[in-house]
Amino acid sequence: MAIGPVQLIVLGFNHPEFHGEIINELERLRESDTVRVIDALAVHKDADGEIEVAHLSNLSKGEAIELGTKIGALIGLGIEGEQGMEAGAEAGAEAVAEGDGVHVFSDDEAWDVLEDIPNDSAAALILIEHHWAVPLRDAIARAGGFRLSDGFISPLDLIGIGLVSREDAEQLHAIETAATAAA
């Protein structure tokens, strides 16, 4: 199975008002074969920093069995409490032992997603596969290319290159950062 580039997106919510709109949009993207949601979690952190997790996946049962709980493994979150953390740690240790280790980040570069979620707020963690990018990625590899870096660009940074007007960029920036300004 060819898998496209995979991205973890973490979205914060000060006072979430979920009405199914996000899942509906992800379903639309899946139907168009643009992206596939590998895993999705809603994480709520209370005022004391205690975490409550709900699974939000749009995978079929077969896909869910095949792919498992990937976000939890990526960020070290045991869904089933202490037993889940132990099982995840054991599975991770076996994978590392079989493959000569995993060296994605140094300790200085590690990204603690859960730590970034402010107390008394919520986050949606969405692990998506960019299905659309498989042919592009493969063409880049055949040409000897490789990914050096990636990231989302702020709308404000697009003004200088003439891609959007200042007014449009400010509106987009306000939409993207409205919840953080209210915090």
Side-chain angles (χ1 to χ4, degrees):
M1 169 175 84
I3 188 165
V6 175
Q7 179 180 28
L8 175 63
I9 301 173
V10 181
L11 307 168
F13 300 89
N14 286 325
H15 305 286
E17 296 180 27
F18 300 120
H19 305 289
E21 191 175 1
I22 296 168
I23 294 295
N24 290 342
E25 183 59 20
L26 290 170
E27 285 290 339
R28 186 188 68 74
L29 291 169
R30 178 189 175 131
E31 289 170 8
S32 70
D33 209 27
T34 304
V35 300
R36 176 172 67 150
V37 176
I38 294 172
D39 204 357
L41 297 176
V43 179
H44 178 262
K45 225 185 220 188
D46 68 17
D48 297 323
E50 294 296 316
I51 296 173
E52 185 177 317
V53 178
H55 222 85
L56 306 170
S57 184
N58 68 351
L59 294 176
S60 69
K61 185 174 181 175
E63 290 170 324
I65 291 168
E66 176 189 352
L67 296 169
T69 303
K70 303 303 182 191
I71 289 178
L74 278 174
I75 65 171
L77 178 63
I79 301 303
E80 299 298 323
E82 197 67 34
Q83 288 180 325
M85 292 179 82
E86 288 175 17
E90 289 173 12
E94 289 174 14
V96 169
E98 293 172 4
D100 191 32
V102 175
H103 308 285
V104 178
F105 297 112
S106 71
D107 288 342
D108 294 334
E109 297 170 321
W111 179 32
D112 187 346
V113 175
L114 295 177
E115 186 66 32
D116 289 344
I117 301 170
N119 288 357
D120 202 23
S121 71
L125 288 73
I126 305 170
L127 188 65
I128 60 172
E129 172 197 4
H130 291 278
H131 227 348
W132 64 268
V134 172
L136 176 61
R137 185 226 21 232
D138 293 350
I140 291 167
R142 286 190 298 273
F146 51 93
R147 181 176 53 91
L148 290 174
S149 184
D150 57 68
F152 285 105
I153 306 299
S154 167
L156 299 175
D157 295 328
L158 301 176
I159 298 168
I161 61 171
L163 195 57
V164 295
S165 69
R166 175 167 298 286
E167 180 180 291
D168 289 345
E170 288 172 352
Q171 287 175 354
L172 290 169
H173 180 72
I175 291 168
E176 289 180 1
T177 60
T180 59

